[in-house]
Amino acid sequence: MDRNQSGMAATRGRLASLIVLCCLLACKMPDDKVWPRNQSLLLFNPHVADFICEIEASKVPPIDAQAEDWFLEARALEDPEIFVEDRDYKKIVDLTRQAAQRSHWKAMLNLASLYVEGRDPLYGEEEAVQLVEKAMRLGVPAAYDRMGTYYANGTGVNGDITRAYAFWQKAAQMGNPQAMDFLSDKLNVGPANEGAGYWANIPVAIKMMECAFSQGYGPVAYNLSYMYASPRMATGRVSGPRTLETKALALKVLHEGVAFGCEKCANKLTIEFGDPFDLANMLVPYIDKARAERYGVLSRELGFNPNARFPNLDKVLPLPPADLPPWNGDRDTLLHAATGVRPPPATPKPSAASLLQKPYFLAADYALHPTGLHSDAPTAPFSAYWQPAQGQGVTEPARLFRKGEEFRHFSVLDADGKSRYGSVTWEQCLTIRQNHGAVEPRAVHGLLREVARPEPWLSCACDQACPVSGVWQPWVAADHPLQAIVNQYWRQAWLNQGAPFPRPRRDWLLDLPDGDVTWHLMDASLPDLG
């Protein structure tokens, strides 16, 4: 979870009752010259007939690998284990700003939060809004979600709950899972709730929840489990009793929500397995104090560290009817076994760029990839590696330019074959990881366990049976539009030999063909819980 999400959820809840008072206010007329904060938006409409699931990862700009490392380093410095007063916020701000200057969209939004929190005395709410606007211009759905929260809170803009909901609606339509979770909760009302029969739109609420869940957004699993457990009419009224099938589906969603980092899901399963409120209507097939204890450990950890994920939960806590593996009762033993894994990073060989001096120098960990983004401006539009575009007769290695730094001039031949000295067209280059396509999921330090790469290296297609019990990592091509939500450690799965591999559409609710995904064995060690 990013640094603001939990706080924004609480703020939104307090503001939900204000919708009715503001729903008739109009938004501004369109104007190409207005700032993104003032753009014209459709008013929030809870009565839409349908919702089309868009995926945020396919909308955002590509992430620069070097900027990603700076971003992850900054995130690690905010480890919950470090007291707030002991954190080096100057370094956190500097690293986050470095990443943001490379158009790392998550860093841009985190830097905005740091400004709002007063972590850099030279920058405040106005600069935070400008950063969010920059991300909006890049088409980042999460930036629209953030602008909605700024309008709700009056952060750097005049508070306006109508515009807040309009921005949240836009963010959800663009693919932002946090906005989907929030709005679907507002559409999920029943006869006992204020606004029942008017705000309720259960079919759309479920589609929003499923779309957010397909992107690995854990908190939405809690509400989605209620939708699955008790069938409902569009108005929100329960239309039938819970069945074995609906309860099993709700239980599965809650369990997967725990793997995705949902504290409320873990807490609910602690109660369901340990001391359910309604024995006749409980989701679990039977009381199981041992399972309740393990979910309790996970719940407490997620309460302390919302960034934790447990993709290999089934290794230590499979759903019934599977037997529980033995456990010595040690908290860390359970948590470490359930977390994601990665192989030790290979030591990169020196590259030609790593032997050059600045500004041509690039660490051996990275390579450069031309993006196709050209600029004829006299100065660099943003901080990045730039090189003269091909076809101009200029041979010059890519070099790092700061935003606003003047581009070099060269002697080139014009259309008549005459030599001239002047400006050329430049092309941006993105840093990529120089690991030859190795399957190496990355995360903030402390969220992954490093394990030796298994031998032999096994890879399987989705339609195969698992050949070896262990931790398996799904992977798609580096240029796949959904790689940012597939090539992640939280997509890992502990599978027993002979089990089917998860399939994206069936098991993740993600519109991704099976053939695009390959599963790789990451760790074949058997559970060792003491």
Side-chain angles (χ1 to χ4, degrees):
M1 180 180 291
D2 286 341
R3 56 183 298 110
N4 328 238
Q5 290 172 5
S6 59
M8 286 191 284
T11 298
R12 290 165 168 168
R14 291 192 295 271
L15 293 164
S17 62
L18 297 177
I19 309 173
V20 179
L21 299 177
C22 307
C23 65
L24 297 178
L25 296 179
C27 294
K28 296 180 183 292
M29 295 299 291
D31 183 344
D32 291 339
K33 296 182 180 180
V34 301
W35 290 341
R37 72 185 80 177
N38 295 328
Q39 66 183 261
S40 177
L41 295 167
L42 294 175
L43 292 174
F44 172 61
N45 177 16
H47 309 301
V48 291
D50 198 8
F51 179 77
I52 306 301
C53 179
E54 299 287 349
I55 303 299
E56 183 170 63
S58 67
K59 310 292 183 183
V60 296
I63 295 290
D64 183 277
Q66 193 173 37
E68 174 75 352
D69 286 344
W70 294 330
F71 175 69
L72 293 179
E73 184 180 352
R75 292 284 307 282
L77 293 174
E78 292 189 281
D79 190 310
E81 295 282 355
I82 305 172
F83 288 114
V84 173
E85 56 269 23
D86 293 335
R87 295 174 186 172
D88 186 350
Y89 273 105
K90 183 182 184 304
K91 187 172 183 180
I92 291 169
V93 169
D94 288 345
L95 286 167
T96 307
R97 186 182 288 123
Q98 272 186 277
Q101 289 170 346
R102 294 276 185 94
S103 297
H104 188 298
W105 65 272
K106 292 183 180 180
M108 293 162 69
L109 298 183
N110 270 21
L111 185 60
S113 294
L114 290 165
Y115 288 169
V116 170
E117 293 172 7
R119 303 300 182 185
D120 187 332
L122 298 180
Y123 299 91
E125 292 185 356
E126 173 57 30
E127 289 78 14
V129 173
Q130 290 177 16
L131 270 172
V132 173
E133 288 184 307
K134 182 179 177 181
M136 291 168 69
R137 291 189 182 98
L138 294 175
V140 176
Y144 284 81
D145 176 69
R146 179 69 59 82
M147 188 60 72
T149 300
Y150 283 179
Y151 269 103
N153 295 343
T155 302
V157 294
N158 293 327
D160 186 334
I161 193 63
T162 297
R163 286 191 63 75
Y165 270 84
F167 273 109
W168 288 329
Q169 176 177 253
K170 176 71 172 177
Q173 291 169 343
M174 293 174 69
N176 178 253
Q178 289 83 4
M180 294 178 202
D181 181 29
F182 173 70
L183 292 181
S184 64
D185 186 51
K186 301 299 162 266
L187 302 179
N188 170 26
V189 292
N193 297 81
E194 182 181 351
Y198 184 74
W199 293 106
N201 191 340
I202 299 304
V204 166
I206 291 176
K207 287 187 176 182
M208 284 187 174
M209 292 177 190
E210 290 178 337
C211 187
F213 189 69
S214 74
Q215 300 180 62
Y217 186 64
V220 77
Y222 185 78
N223 283 340
L224 183 58
S225 71
Y226 282 98
M227 296 293 96
Y228 284 165
S230 301
R232 302 189 185 204
M233 295 185 288
T235 60
R237 187 177 298 278
V238 174
S239 60
R242 294 183 176 188
T243 65
L244 292 176
E245 290 76 16
T246 63
K247 289 193 288 186
L249 184 56
L251 179 60
K252 180 175 181 291
V253 166
L254 286 170
H255 182 75
E256 292 176 355
V258 176
F260 284 159
C262 175
E263 179 195 2
K264 291 172 68 176
C265 296
N267 186 54
K268 182 171 178 59
L269 290 178
T270 302
I271 296 171
E272 284 282 332
F273 276 109
D275 188 16
F277 299 125
D278 184 356
L279 287 171
N281 216 20
M282 63 185 190
L283 295 177
V284 300
Y286 47 80
I287 302 295
D288 190 329
K289 299 289 186 179
R291 278 188 165 86
E293 183 183 7
R294 298 188 193 195
Y295 280 117
V297 171
L298 298 168
S299 175
R300 290 187 290 275
E301 175 63 13
L302 290 169
F304 175 72
N305 183 7
N307 296 317
R309 299 292 181 269
F310 303 111
N312 299 307
L313 182 60
D314 287 343
K315 183 177 184 178
V316 297
L317 183 51
L319 283 173
D323 294 330
L324 282 178
W327 174 45
N328 63 5
D330 178 70
R331 164 189 172 275
D332 289 343
T333 300
L334 184 76
L335 297 178
H336 291 167
T339 55
V341 302
R342 60 161 292 167
T347 302
K349 296 180 180 179
S351 63
S354 71
L355 302 177
L356 300 175
Q357 299 296 316
K358 291 182 179 180
Y360 301 97
F361 171 79
L362 179 64
D365 305 79
Y366 312 104
L368 290 172
H369 176 71
T371 63
L373 176 64
H374 293 163
S375 176
D376 292 316
T379 61
F382 53 87
S383 178
Y385 281 87
W386 295 86
Q387 66 182 14
Q390 292 184 354
Q392 301 177 98
V394 177
T395 302
E396 169 80 357
R399 57 166 288 185
L400 180 63
F401 283 89
R402 304 296 179 188
K403 179 182 179 181
E405 186 176 348
E406 187 174 354
F407 282 134
R408 289 185 59 193
H409 288 191
F410 296 89
S411 293
V412 295
L413 297 178
D414 61 19
D416 298 325
K418 296 180 179 180
S419 177
R420 70 168 180 83
Y421 182 79
S423 61
V424 298
T425 299
W426 292 79
E427 181 179 17
Q428 182 213 358
C429 293
L430 204 68
T431 66
I432 60 174
R433 211 156 300 285
Q434 186 161 264
N435 60 3
H436 306 289
V439 179
E440 295 177 350
R442 301 185 64 78
V444 175
H445 178 73
L447 296 182
L448 287 175
R449 286 189 302 115
E450 213 168 82
V451 296
R453 192 182 297 273
E455 296 291 344
W457 177 249
L458 295 179
S459 301
C460 294
C462 278
D463 59 357
Q464 294 179 255
C466 175
V468 176
S469 296
V471 175
W472 290 80
Q473 171 74 57
W475 210 256
V476 296
D479 59 353
H480 196 287
L482 298 183
Q483 64 85 20
I485 58 168
V486 176
N487 299 356
Q488 298 290 342
Y489 77 97
W490 46 261
R491 285 286 187 197
Q492 292 175 6
W494 168 266
L495 297 170
N496 289 311
Q497 184 178 13
F501 284 101
R503 295 193 169 189
R505 291 191 176 107
R506 181 192 66 195
D507 300 301
W508 299 344
L509 307 180
L510 187 63
D511 188 14
L512 173 65
D514 290 351
D516 290 2
V517 181
T518 302
W519 287 86
H520 303 277
L521 180 64
M522 304 294 285
D523 181 21
S525 61
L526 296 176
D528 181 12
L529 302 180

